[in-house]
């Protein structure tokens, strides 16, 4: 079976052409020209999975794939939208009808519009949004692949809504603090309007990343800074493997993990699990926190909650270890060590948090056999994507090897993209 499988690569596309196309789509749909075009990227998370909602720090960065929104304000309180990724035509809804749980009440063919309508709703709550608008959407972010097409969409809509709102001195999109507020509005929209549980990582990555850098985003303090890993200069790259599989239609599994963490935090007497560890986390701190948990809860090390907790604490330590790798003096084996940490993260997500699946495990194993220094699943899990840290010259053959492994296992054909740290949300025209 091997030897004749070609790897399918996704291309970010020509940005000028995409902007032209989304302007044309807007004009054809609504009969007038848009006021502007805004875009926001999808993301991958280098390390720090399933810990945003536990108050931990994550290390995401924006990928080259983006979602574009051509938009114009309307004075009549209507929201209208059309997406080139949705074949059912346009959706129309008064902003006044946007309420928590909206998505569940929309017909199936229109549920995507909840991601759009929820943003001006959340911004209106703080008096910062538009009163109505038309939106035309186009995207190169694969949808439902764990690369956060949902945040790319809502963050692009947020930037458009902010820019089109009635005259204000300052646009939220122009300042770091303002972007935190826009990201919060997107989180509220996704949690309350779509009722898709999200911890904030995706929106922070899409609005607060920096080109060429990894964002370190602390979800307890709200603070962030960037780290330039020097990945490309060192001759390495990050390959994204989209397994083109999702095993969960709804995010009940995500919600149950989140619930387990909240319950454990309560039993430990802390607000969020991050509070059970000291400021700088070492492996010894993880052992100590687990020991405290066993004593207080009476649970054994292999109970489900103990394993969930062990993932969260150990992943928080791995984030600290990666920050240390790139903050200190460059160390010759830092890339090997990063690879080892990525591998440990995958094992933890697979065995302790139990959010992996055969496709993700195959992607990770095949990547390693093809020369990856380390690999792990990213995002919520049960499908979606994995990342692999590879020496640049091995990138193409690794993709082919992974595609072959998928064909041999009888899985859907995977797709690949190169995760180059890219620009955050911005105005394009
Ligand atoms: P992910 O964010 O990992 O891609 P989600 O399930 O969180 O997956 O979000 C995917 C949903 O977001 C889609 O089902 C659709 O409702 C909406 N969406 C994302 N991108 C677009 C787009 N370009 N046009 C219309 N809807 C979109
Ligand atoms: Mg999403």
């Amino acid at each position: 079976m091997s030897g004749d499988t070609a790897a399918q690569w996704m291309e970010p596309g020509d940005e000028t052409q995409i902007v032209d196309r989304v302007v044309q789509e807007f004009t054809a749909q609504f009969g007038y020209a848009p006021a502007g075009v805004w875009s926001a990227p999808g993301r991958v998370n280098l390390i720090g999975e399933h810990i945003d909602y536990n108050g931990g720090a994550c290390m995401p960065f924006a990928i080259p794939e983006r979602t574009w929104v051509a938009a114009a304000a309307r004075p009549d309180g209507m929201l209208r939208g059309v997406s080139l990724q949705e074949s059912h035509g346009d959706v129309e809804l008064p902003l006044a009808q946007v309420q928590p749980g909206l998505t569940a009440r929309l017909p199936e063919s229109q549920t995507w519009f909840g991601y759009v309508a929820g943003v001006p709703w959340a911004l209106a709550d703080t008096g910062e949004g538009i009163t109505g608008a038309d939106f035309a959407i186009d995207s190169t972010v694969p949808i439902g692949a764990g690369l956060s097409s949902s945040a790319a969409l809502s963050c692009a809509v947020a930037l458009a809504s902010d820019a089109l709102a009635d005259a204000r001195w300052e646009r939220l999109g122009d300042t770091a603090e303002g972007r935190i507020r826009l990201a919060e509005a997107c989180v509220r929209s996704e949690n309350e309007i779509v009722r898709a549980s999200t911890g904030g990582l995706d929106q922070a990555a899409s609005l607060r990343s920096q080109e060429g850098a990894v964002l370190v985003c602390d979800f307890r303090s709200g603070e962030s800074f960037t780290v330039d890993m020097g990945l490309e200069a060192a001759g390495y790259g990050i390959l994204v493997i989209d397994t083109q599989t999702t095993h969960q239609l709804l995010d009940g599994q995500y919600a149950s993990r989140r619930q387990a963490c909240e319950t454990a935090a309560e039993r430990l007497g802390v607000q969020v699990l991050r509070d059970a560890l000291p400021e700088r986390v070492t492996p010894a701190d993880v052992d100590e926190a687990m020991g405290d948990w066993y004593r207080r809860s009476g649970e054994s090390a292999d109970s489900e909650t103990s394993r969930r907790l062990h993932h969260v604490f150990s992943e928080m330590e791995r984030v600290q270890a990666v920050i240390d790798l790139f903050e200190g003096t460059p160390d010759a084996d830092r890339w090997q060590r990063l690879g080892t940490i990525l591998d440990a993260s995958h094992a933890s997500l697979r065995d302790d948090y139990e959010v992996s699946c055969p496709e993700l495990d195959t992607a990770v194993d095949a990547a390693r056999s093809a020369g990856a220094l380390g690999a792990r699943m990213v995002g919520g899990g049960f499908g979606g994507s994995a990342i692999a840290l590879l020496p640049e010259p091995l990138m193409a053959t690794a993709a082919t090897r992974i595609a072959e492994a998928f064909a041999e296992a009888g899985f859907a054909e995977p797709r690949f993209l190169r995760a180059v740290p890219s620009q955050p949300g911005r105005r394009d025209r």
Side-chain angles (χ1 to χ4, degrees):
M1 186 90 200
S2 81
D4 53 2
T5 309
Q8 192 191 330
W9 287 85
M10 286 180 266
E11 295 299 336
D14 180 310
E15 297 191 337
T16 313
Q17 275 177 18
I18 298 170
V19 173
D20 287 344
R21 194 165 69 208
V22 76
V23 167
Q24 272 166 25
E25 174 72 9
F26 185 100
T27 312
Q29 182 69 37
F30 303 118
Y32 67 101
V37 178
W38 293 262
S39 68
R43 59 96 191 93
V44 290
N45 188 20
L46 182 66
I47 193 78
E49 212 64 77
H50 279 282
I51 60 171
D52 54 349
Y53 53 84
N54 289 306
C58 308
M59 296 182 70
F61 61 88
I63 56 175
E65 283 67 21
R66 311 177 72 84
T67 296
W68 280 265
V69 173
R74 295 170 60 95
D76 62 357
M78 283 302 287
L79 296 171
R80 293 193 298 179
V82 63
S83 165
L84 284 159
Q85 280 67 54
E86 290 286 336
S87 55
H88 301 282
D90 62 316
V91 184
E92 193 174 316
L93 195 76
L95 178 56
Q97 276 179 26
V98 181
Q99 302 285 337
L102 168 76
T103 293
R105 295 192 295 272
L106 290 173
E108 176 74 27
S109 63
Q110 298 185 0
T111 53
W112 68 273
F113 198 62
Y115 289 96
V116 175
V119 176
W121 168 83
L123 286 170
D125 230 29
T126 46
E128 284 161 327
I130 29 133
T131 50
D134 290 333
F135 299 103
I137 293 139
D138 193 5
S139 180
T140 53
V141 186
I143 292 176
L147 301 173
S148 209
S149 69
S150 59
L153 174 56
S154 62
C155 292
V157 168
L159 288 168
S161 303
D162 170 52
L164 294 171
D166 283 344
R168 262 193 272 123
W169 279 111
E170 202 172 54
R171 299 293 163 186
L172 297 173
D174 291 342
T175 64
E177 302 76 49
R179 282 179 177 245
I180 293 175
R181 295 251 293 283
L182 289 179
E184 281 166 3
C186 293
V187 171
R188 269 198 74 200
S189 159
E190 204 160 322
N191 280 333
E192 295 177 41
I193 300 300
V194 184
R195 294 259 157 86
S197 207
T198 174
L201 165 72
D202 305 346
Q203 298 77 7
S206 190
L207 285 170
R208 298 165 65 192
S209 285
Q210 245 177 52
E211 189 172 19
V214 176
L215 184 74
V216 182
C217 195
D218 183 324
F219 286 90
R220 184 170 54 170
S221 67
E223 280 160 21
S224 70
F225 60 96
T226 54
V227 178
D228 178 6
M229 294 203 299
L231 190 71
E232 276 179 80
Y236 291 97
I238 290 179
L239 175 70
V240 176
I241 307 128
D242 169 11
T243 65
Q244 300 230 64
T245 316
T246 16
H247 292 292
Q248 241 63 37
L249 284 177
L250 291 168
D251 64 349
Q253 293 288 344
Y254 179 94
S256 81
R257 298 303 181 283
R258 223 177 142 142
Q259 185 59 52
C261 292
E262 277 166 26
T263 310
E266 251 168 59
R267 289 167 75 185
L268 282 169
V270 288
Q271 275 275 310
V272 284
L273 287 178
R274 181 65 185 81
D275 292 342
L277 294 168
E279 197 59 38
R280 270 191 62 85
V281 190
T282 65
D285 297 325
V286 174
D287 292 345
E288 198 174 309
M290 287 309 297
D292 185 39
W293 163 256
Y294 300 139
R295 272 190 306 278
R296 283 170 186 250
S297 68
E299 290 199 20
S300 68
D302 57 4
S303 84
E304 190 175 283
T305 314
S306 297
R307 287 181 295 117
R308 303 290 188 257
L309 211 52
H310 188 257
H311 165 72
V312 171
F313 289 155
S314 65
E315 187 78 355
M316 288 173 176
E317 188 276 321
R318 283 185 286 274
V319 171
Q320 183 65 58
V322 172
I323 294 171
D324 291 350
L325 275 185
F326 294 98
E327 293 252 282
T329 14
D331 186 333
D333 69 351
R334 57 157 58 166
W335 301 104
Q336 287 292 350
R337 285 166 52 200
L338 175 60
T340 305
I341 296 170
L342 296 182
D343 285 346
S345 173
H346 186 77
S348 177
L349 287 157
R350 181 191 60 210
D351 303 334
D352 282 346
Y353 222 55
E354 294 182 289
V355 290
S356 190
C357 64
E359 290 84 354
L360 287 168
D361 293 341
T362 299
V364 162
D365 291 343
R368 283 191 204 118
S369 315
L373 276 57
R376 70 178 200 85
M377 56 154 284
V378 292
F382 306 106
S385 298
I387 56 169
L389 172 64
L390 280 150
E392 192 55 55
L394 296 183
M395 194 70 84
T397 47
T400 307
R401 288 288 130 68
I402 297 163
E404 284 168 2
F406 270 57
E408 271 159 30
F411 295 153
E413 191 185 353
R415 290 187 300 179
F416 301 91
L417 63 92
R418 296 168 48 78
V420 182
S422 301
Q423 285 187 9
R426 63 177 187 224
R427 184 170 192 153
D428 289 81
R429 193 171 284 178

